[in-house]
Amino acid sequence: MKNVNKYEIYEIALSGPAAGNPFTDVDLRAEFCFINRKRVMSGFYDGGGVYKIRYMPDCEGEWVCRTISNAGELDGKEYGFTCVSALPGNHGPVRVSNKFHFTYDDGTPYYPYGTTAYNWTNQAPDIVAQTIKTLETTGFNKIRYSPFPKHYLYNTNEPQLYPYEGGIVGGTSGDDGKDGAVGSASGVGTGPAPDPFGGGAQAAYKFDFMRPNPAFWRQFEECVLAMEKLGIETDLILFHPYDCWGFAHMSRNENLLYLRYIVARLGAFRGVWWSMANEYDLFRDRNEADWDLYAHAVEEWDAAGHLRSIHNCREPYDHAKGWVTHVSMQRYDYHSHVEQTHKWRERWQKPVAVDEICYEGDIDHGWGNISGQELTKRFWDVVVRGGYCTHGETYLRDDENLWWAKGGWLTGSSPERIAFLRKLHERIGQIDPSPAMDWDLPWGLSGKQFNYETGNRFQPVGIAADKMLCYFSFAQPSVKTFSLPADAKYEIEIIDTWDMSITKLDGVYSGACRVQLPGKPFIAVLFSKTVD
Amino acid sequence: MKNVNKYEIYEIALSGPAAGNPFTDVDLRAEFCFINRKRVMSGFYDGGGVYKIRYMPDCEGEWVCRTISNAGELDGKEYGFTCVSALPGNHGPVRVSNKFHFTYDDGTPYYPYGTTAYNWTNQAPDIVAQTIKTLETTGFNKIRYSPFPKHYLYNTNEPQLYPYEGGIVGGTSGDDGKDGAVGSASGVGTGPAPDPFGGGAQAAYKFDFMRPNPAFWRQFEECVLAMEKLGIETDLILFHPYDCWGFAHMSRNENLLYLRYIVARLGAFRGVWWSMANEYDLFRDRNEADWDLYAHAVEEWDAAGHLRSIHNCREPYDHAKGWVTHVSMQRYDYHSHVEQTHKWRERWQKPVAVDEICYEGDIDHGWGNISGQELTKRFWDVVVRGGYCTHGETYLRDDENLWWAKGGWLTGSSPERIAFLRKLHERIGQIDPSPAMDWDLPWGLSGKQFNYETGNRFQPVGIAADKMLCYFSFAQPSVKTFSLPADAKYEIEIIDTWDMSITKLDGVYSGACRVQLPGKPFIAVLFSKTVD
């Protein structure tokens, strides 16, 4: 019997019917059984008469499986494999842990420090390679992107491949409207005319949304795998509204076929999260019931139970819903956002990933022109309040290859500061906001102060946290009197979050103590309880 | 007949009874008549048997006046004077203008750029002199302070003089409680015991709150006059809660006597505003009806009709009330404040002075440790939204002489930037927030776009403002596409608010125009309509 490492992909490939529409005519799934557990995973058509079923085993031991299909040649096949211990560095998919946090499936801590390159997988091979190279040396361990190409500012190039059979049928630049089939019927990209987001595409398209393009998906999978190799989770955006091809305006059946196909292809990849949409509220032809329907479909089809969320533009989604595993926020107010992180935790009782808080850059638009200093500050403001944060970069290059859109190069000043914060965060452990925040100073606590069993209740006041972190943000005190628990002793480290230096003070501290600080902005202080 | 310059003080001095309590026994006032106008002003006892009546004439021509008193020797005296044109530089008291703004009484524009030194007049003479010297070279034209001494952090010294007869009756440091009279009865300062604000005073006091100390008030008047000479308005804080002498806990009658006395002494000074209280909501023994009663008393007794407001700590006052001439705000949220300026205008339909938004400094407390860069940013954020802003400085000095408390020296980086902004503001004129604010960019407009007659209605969209100012705050675009009115031409100036440079672009602009910007934070852009 074949050996499969835990959390790796077990794949069955079968020959089957190539005639008709194999994507819709053929129903294929498999039951994977381990002792008394049974999971069902859909298969998918990979072109050339080949069907595949992928599964990620998460328990060591003997597994058996059996196919079920309406095509006789694919039905009733039986297989077995032995799941053996995971390869070094493979900790499995990320799960919610301790209500507001994350760990890998094997219990290894995971603190998401994400970046954003929405459309990187659809760029020319040299740019794709450059993106991977860039990410090798940053501290990011999550990246948000979508398989669908993007039509938006600084996103006007056609993808290398299309996710469906079809392509350009109208003229190119200056020649639009030639094709009489342009319209809003299913399968027809309407071109940029009804698209409110601008951009320069001048083509019209015709796709068969019932026929995914396996070549496109094989190429996309390579990108997901490349991220896995770097230890970077793929926060996979299933739908986004920035479209001129029609991918954002498919029918319900077409959307469900798409979701089933992508979950079948990618659901066995350990490093995938499902982001139902980027800016769901910009889809004018979908309501909340639609989103719930699609999310429930993903939930049902995804045997691995990957993380699921949905990202807003204006109004946050009702993240209390059962299918939402964690909050994926975009600031919905230009001025008041990261300071709300602990309130968002409280409101939805889930981990909060603040996935969009303006990008470091210098473009025309308010969502993409904050400084590296400002973005670093926002990361700290989120983390000290018990949340997680995501980076993006939009410096205007002569070649208009902006990281946030196409990947490629990072030139900003925030990534190394974010990596510095991540390293410190991993040392501190999971951070929860103190129930006793100062009005002018947020406090994060770490240790056993949080009763995860009974919900959102913190330690009684007076029981000392193992570690306490405060962040002064724009304030620049030269001295601060702290009121530490009197029954514990702490070491103190002064952290310059911009210069990335950590200065440990001599001695141990207890009760009220007056501490000299650098008198400049962006300082944090970490208190670590000493073990007697 | 004597000549008096418009807006200067006409003073009558009379000899009267010195026995008993002249402050309460003697009622003295005078009617000042000009053609068919009549104003009544109270007199006050200045000690040594001398009574005075002060009046600031605001119309040129012949004035007559007649005293009214229950003391026969003070009653029925008649005087006349000729009010002649104002001396150069004296524009009279500041008035509300165009609903949301200010001018001097003679129509000269006035844009308040205030600072704060709550307790400067009660310091030693060399510090008082130093404060005046410092203010000679700054751009501030308003200052907030109180005649009452202050008992608070960094305010632990006794004043040079007390505003009432009396003083320390208990022991000094380490000797408190010796005096049996310590208690909460009127006229008795309770010492620091019931004071929640800390500080080191250890004395107990006994004052006669029915007997003001004329020497104290003469000294205070010298300070107000020194400010007038520098063109600086006195935002006179009538009450504040930071007290260990009992001045914050006088009875209603004592408060009314105090108000009548101070209005009689200082109401004829052109450069005085009445701030009913600093942090009114920290007075636990006064409710809103009390504050209204005191404010109405001031309004009635103040023949010159000076500006009146009241300053909050937590909740803003109901500034819609008739006696409130303008809003005097303290940020009541640590993170969300200056961005609300135009909403506060809208809410109260009055000028908005944001009088406390954290001080530039480095002390322990969040209200006093922001950088000069942050404070400068907040000034711009207020001004571009049609408000006015007030400075303060709290750098920790070895001698604990902090500007915000005692005056003295300014060492921060914001004052010269604030002066730069004031100069630009005076060039632009009164700024109103655009009705069409960008979500990521506030716009202030100036010119005839605002219909002041009919209230808060702006120009119809499409009618071009004379000047338009936008402020990018923390954003750092390297390019911006502006949509200017197509039917007007504008000159463009790029303003670096931190480096204090103004760069005028070549040419004139109209309609959509793409402008290169410095790609760094704290940039503003000013558009000035050209006159054909």
Side-chain angles (χ1 to χ4, degrees):
Chain A
M1 199 137 67
K2 189 180 172 183
N3 278 356
V4 181
N5 291 99
K6 189 176 169 187
Y7 306 131
E8 300 290 333
I9 297 171
Y10 174 72
E11 184 178 279
I12 301 164
L14 296 165
S15 289
N21 185 346
F23 298 99
T24 56
D25 298 347
V26 175
D27 183 59
L28 171 65
R29 67 192 81 183
E31 293 177 348
F32 291 84
C33 298
F34 175 80
I35 310 178
N36 59 351
R37 284 168 65 183
K38 187 172 78 176
R39 293 271 168 81
V40 179
M41 195 70 185
S42 292
F44 63 92
Y45 184 61
D46 200 27
V50 177
Y51 291 79
K52 289 179 176 168
I53 304 167
R54 292 173 176 165
Y55 187 75
M56 181 196 72
D58 58 351
C59 293
E60 290 176 43
E62 305 300 313
W63 287 75
V64 291
C65 70
R66 186 174 186 282
T67 64
I68 305 163
S69 180
N70 60 350
E73 57 210 286
L74 301 174
D75 187 48
K77 308 278 183 188
E78 293 191 359
Y79 304 88
F81 62 89
T82 303
C83 178
V84 297
S85 60
L87 294 171
N90 185 345
H91 303 291
V94 172
R95 309 294 188 194
V96 170
S97 143
N98 286 336
K99 194 170 200 171
F100 295 110
H101 304 284
F102 302 96
T103 59
Y104 292 102
D105 194 74
D106 72 354
T108 304
Y110 172 77
Y111 307 91
Y113 278 77
T115 187
T116 308
Y118 288 121
N119 200 11
W120 76 275
T121 60
N122 287 307
Q123 306 309 311
D126 59 324
I127 302 291
V128 168
Q130 178 59 45
T131 303
I132 295 166
K133 191 175 163 197
T134 296
L135 288 169
E136 281 169 5
T137 55
T138 66
F140 298 115
N141 61 3
K142 191 186 93 162
I143 180 168
R144 285 176 61 73
Y145 58 99
S146 179
F148 284 139
K150 186 171 180 177
H151 175 67
Y152 193 63
L153 301 166
Y154 310 113
N155 289 266
T156 53
N157 54 327
E158 290 293 314
Q160 303 289 300
L161 294 168
Y162 293 110
Y164 290 97
E165 285 185 22
I168 296 173
V169 290
T172 51
S173 184
D175 195 20
D176 63 315
K178 203 165 91 180
D179 186 278
V182 172
S184 62
S186 174
V188 177
T190 54
D195 171 19
F197 306 113
Q202 295 290 329
Y205 305 91
K206 187 161 189 177
F207 294 103
D208 186 344
F209 295 140
M210 287 299 183
R211 287 184 175 268
N213 175 7
F216 171 92
W217 289 103
R218 279 193 288 271
Q219 194 268 333
F220 183 74
E221 285 163 10
E222 288 304 313
C223 293
V224 174
L225 278 175
M227 293 299 104
E228 277 192 4
K229 268 189 202 159
L230 295 175
I232 297 173
E233 300 289 305
T234 289
D235 197 3
L236 196 158
I237 296 165
L238 291 165
F239 295 103
H240 71 72
Y242 304 101
D243 176 78
C244 65
W245 300 274
F247 307 139
H249 301 285
M250 301 191 296
S251 70
R252 176 171 293 182
N253 278 346
E254 290 160 352
N255 285 332
L256 288 170
L257 179 116
Y258 160 68
L259 292 173
R260 186 156 192 154
Y261 192 77
I262 196 170
V263 171
R265 287 203 76 114
L266 287 151
F269 286 58
R270 65 179 156 92
V272 163
W273 307 14
W274 307 119
S275 181
M276 292 308 303
N278 207 38
E279 306 194 328
Y280 79 91
D281 42 350
L282 297 189
F283 285 83
R284 289 178 200 147
D285 52 356
R286 297 188 200 182
N287 59 28
E288 200 163 307
D290 293 318
W291 289 113
D292 287 343
L293 182 147
Y294 295 136
H296 287 140
V298 169
E299 187 175 15
E300 166 150 350
W301 294 330
D302 173 22
H306 291 289
L307 294 172
R308 292 173 302 272
S309 193
I310 187 166
H311 187 67
N312 62 297
C313 176
R314 299 181 188 110
E315 284 302 303
Y317 205 77
D318 177 7
H319 293 295
K321 292 194 172 178
W323 68 258
V324 179
T325 57
H326 64 286
V327 175
S328 170
M329 280 295 285
Q330 177 168 187
R331 46 135 204 83
Y332 45 87
D333 180 295
Y334 187 59
H335 293 103
S336 176
H337 35 74
V338 290
E339 304 83 10
Q340 313 295 321
T341 302
H342 57 300
K343 295 178 186 166
W344 294 332
R345 278 175 44 127
E346 196 66 25
R347 176 174 171 190
W348 290 302
Q349 295 287 308
K350 290 180 183 176
V352 170
V354 186
D355 278 327
E356 204 178 334
I357 44 167
C358 302
Y359 310 120
E360 180 181 352
D362 64 348
I363 59 170
D364 198 328
H365 305 275
W367 47 262
N369 60 25
I370 67 171
S371 66
Q373 201 162 63
E374 179 70 23
L375 183 56
T376 303
K377 173 167 93 73
R378 293 182 187 192
F379 262 76
W380 276 86
D381 268 318
V382 166
V383 167
V384 75
R385 291 174 174 85
Y388 299 94
C389 205
T390 301
H391 160 272
E393 184 176 299
T394 47
Y395 280 108
L396 195 52
R397 296 165 55 98
D398 288 340
D399 62 5
E400 296 208 344
N401 195 111
L402 280 62
W403 171 265
W404 136 90
K406 301 181 180 175
W409 299 264
L410 281 170
T411 57
S413 56
S414 65
E416 66 174 315
R417 272 89 185 179
I418 292 166
F420 171 79
L421 172 57
R422 179 184 160 194
K423 203 171 156 189
L424 190 79
H425 197 163
E426 289 173 346
R427 215 185 95 202
I428 295 172
Q430 294 172 348
I431 295 172
D432 293 303
S434 167
M437 292 275 192
D438 292 331
W439 69 277
D440 57 351
L441 188 62
W443 283 90
L445 309 180
S446 147
K448 295 183 188 64
Q449 79 285 354
F450 191 84
N451 186 339
Y452 297 110
E453 301 304 316
T454 56
N456 189 21
R457 277 189 280 137
F458 285 88
Q459 62 180 12
V461 172
I463 297 190
D466 291 342
K467 290 197 193 298
M468 307 190 292
L469 178 71
C470 63
Y471 175 54
F472 285 94
S473 189
F474 53 75
Q476 53 168 16
S478 62
V479 66
K480 181 81 187 172
T481 299
F482 295 101
S483 297
L484 303 180
D487 58 347
K489 288 173 185 161
Y490 287 89
E491 293 176 340
I492 296 181
E493 289 162 281
I494 312 292
I495 300 155
D496 187 322
T497 69
W498 183 248
D499 288 347
M500 297 178 284
S501 66
I502 299 180
T503 308
K504 189 167 176 300
L505 301 189
D506 291 335
V508 293
Y509 298 81
S510 195
C513 57
R514 189 170 164 88
V515 176
Q516 299 294 321
L517 295 173
K520 60 183 194 171
F522 314 126
I523 301 299
V525 182
L526 177 64
F527 302 82
S528 302
K529 190 152 74 171
T530 58
V531 182
D532 292 322
Chain B
M1 200 136 68
K2 190 181 174 183
N3 279 355
V4 180
N5 291 101
K6 191 177 168 185
Y7 307 131
E8 300 291 331
I9 297 172
Y10 174 72
E11 184 178 278
I12 301 164
L14 296 165
S15 288
N21 184 347
F23 298 98
T24 55
D25 299 344
V26 175
D27 183 58
L28 171 65
R29 67 192 82 184
E31 292 177 350
F32 292 83
C33 298
F34 175 80
I35 309 178
N36 59 350
R37 286 169 64 184
K38 187 172 77 179
R39 293 271 167 78
V40 178
M41 195 70 187
S42 292
F44 63 92
Y45 185 61
D46 200 27
V50 176
Y51 291 79
K52 289 179 177 168
I53 304 168
R54 291 173 176 166
Y55 187 75
M56 181 197 73
D58 59 352
C59 293
E60 291 177 43
E62 305 300 311
W63 287 76
V64 292
C65 72
R66 186 174 186 282
T67 64
I68 305 164
S69 180
N70 60 351
E73 57 210 287
L74 302 173
D75 186 48
K77 307 278 181 188
E78 294 190 359
Y79 304 87
F81 63 89
T82 303
C83 178
V84 297
S85 58
L87 294 170
N90 186 344
H91 303 290
V94 171
R95 310 294 187 191
V96 170
S97 142
N98 287 335
K99 194 168 198 171
F100 296 111
H101 304 285
F102 302 96
T103 59
Y104 292 102
D105 194 73
D106 72 353
T108 303
Y110 172 78
Y111 307 92
Y113 277 79
T115 186
T116 308
Y118 288 121
N119 200 11
W120 76 274
T121 59
N122 288 306
Q123 305 309 312
D126 59 324
I127 302 293
V128 169
Q130 178 58 47
T131 303
I132 295 167
K133 192 176 162 195
T134 296
L135 288 169
E136 282 170 4
T137 55
T138 65
F140 298 116
N141 61 6
K142 191 187 91 161
I143 181 168
R144 284 176 61 74
Y145 58 100
S146 180
F148 284 139
K150 186 171 181 178
H151 176 68
Y152 193 64
L153 301 167
Y154 309 114
N155 289 264
T156 54
N157 55 327
E158 290 292 315
Q160 303 288 301
L161 293 167
Y162 293 111
Y164 290 97
E165 284 185 23
I168 297 173
V169 290
T172 51
S173 184
D175 195 18
D176 63 315
K178 204 167 95 178
D179 186 280
V182 173
S184 61
S186 172
V188 177
T190 55
D195 170 20
F197 307 111
Q202 295 289 330
Y205 306 90
K206 185 162 190 177
F207 294 103
D208 186 343
F209 295 141
M210 287 300 184
R211 285 183 176 269
N213 175 7
F216 172 91
W217 290 103
R218 279 191 289 270
Q219 193 269 333
F220 183 74
E221 284 163 10
E222 289 303 311
C223 293
V224 175
L225 279 175
M227 293 299 104
E228 278 193 4
K229 270 189 200 158
L230 295 174
I232 297 173
E233 300 289 305
T234 288
D235 198 4
L236 195 158
I237 296 166
L238 290 166
F239 294 104
H240 70 72
Y242 304 101
D243 176 79
C244 68
W245 300 274
F247 308 139
H249 301 285
M250 301 190 295
S251 70
R252 175 171 293 183
N253 278 347
E254 290 160 351
N255 285 333
L256 288 171
L257 179 114
Y258 160 68
L259 292 173
R260 186 155 191 156
Y261 193 77
I262 196 171
V263 172
R265 287 202 77 114
L266 287 151
F269 286 57
R270 67 179 154 92
V272 164
W273 307 14
W274 307 118
S275 181
M276 292 309 303
N278 206 39
E279 306 193 329
Y280 79 91
D281 42 351
L282 298 188
F283 285 82
R284 289 178 200 147
D285 53 356
R286 297 187 199 182
N287 59 26
E288 202 164 305
D290 294 319
W291 290 113
D292 287 343
L293 182 147
Y294 295 134
H296 287 141
V298 169
E299 188 176 15
E300 167 151 349
W301 294 330
D302 174 21
H306 291 290
L307 294 172
R308 292 174 302 272
S309 192
I310 187 165
H311 187 68
N312 63 297
C313 177
R314 299 182 188 110
E315 284 302 302
Y317 204 77
D318 177 7
H319 292 295
K321 292 194 172 178
W323 68 259
V324 179
T325 57
H326 64 286
V327 175
S328 170
M329 280 293 285
Q330 177 167 188
R331 46 135 204 82
Y332 45 88
D333 181 294
Y334 188 59
H335 292 103
S336 176
H337 36 74
V338 291
E339 305 81 11
Q340 313 294 322
T341 303
H342 57 301
K343 296 178 185 166
W344 293 332
R345 279 177 42 128
E346 196 65 26
R347 175 172 171 192
W348 289 302
Q349 295 288 308
K350 290 179 185 177
V352 170
V354 187
D355 278 327
E356 205 176 333
I357 44 168
C358 303
Y359 310 119
E360 178 180 352
D362 65 348
I363 60 171
D364 197 327
H365 305 274
W367 46 262
N369 60 24
I370 66 171
S371 66
Q373 201 161 64
E374 179 70 22
L375 183 55
T376 303
K377 173 166 95 69
R378 294 183 185 191
F379 261 77
W380 276 86
D381 267 319
V382 166
V383 167
V384 74
R385 290 173 173 85
Y388 299 95
C389 204
T390 301
H391 160 275
E393 184 176 299
T394 47
Y395 280 108
L396 197 51
R397 295 164 57 98
D398 288 340
D399 62 5
E400 297 209 343
N401 195 112
L402 281 61
W403 171 265
W404 136 90
K406 302 180 180 175
W409 299 263
L410 282 170
T411 57
S413 56
S414 64
E416 65 174 316
R417 273 88 184 178
I418 292 166
F420 171 79
L421 171 56
R422 178 184 160 194
K423 202 171 155 189
L424 191 78
H425 197 162
E426 290 174 345
R427 215 185 94 201
I428 295 172
Q430 295 172 348
I431 295 172
D432 294 302
S434 168
M437 292 275 191
D438 292 332
W439 70 276
D440 57 351
L441 188 60
W443 284 89
L445 309 180
S446 143
K448 293 182 189 65
Q449 80 283 355
F450 191 84
N451 185 341
Y452 296 111
E453 301 304 316
T454 56
N456 190 21
R457 277 188 279 138
F458 286 88
Q459 62 179 10
V461 171
I463 296 191
D466 292 341
K467 291 196 191 300
M468 305 191 295
L469 178 72
C470 63
Y471 175 55
F472 285 94
S473 189
F474 53 74
Q476 54 168 16
S478 63
V479 67
K480 181 80 187 173
T481 300
F482 295 100
S483 297
L484 304 180
D487 58 347
K489 287 173 184 159
Y490 287 89
E491 293 178 340
I492 296 180
E493 288 163 279
I494 312 293
I495 301 155
D496 188 321
T497 69
W498 184 249
D499 288 347
M500 297 178 283
S501 67
I502 300 180
T503 308
K504 190 168 174 300
L505 301 189
D506 291 334
V508 293
Y509 297 80
S510 194
C513 57
R514 190 169 163 89
V515 176
Q516 300 294 321
L517 295 174
K520 59 184 197 172
F522 313 127
I523 302 298
V525 182
L526 177 63
F527 302 81
S528 302
K529 191 150 75 171
T530 57
V531 182
D532 293 322

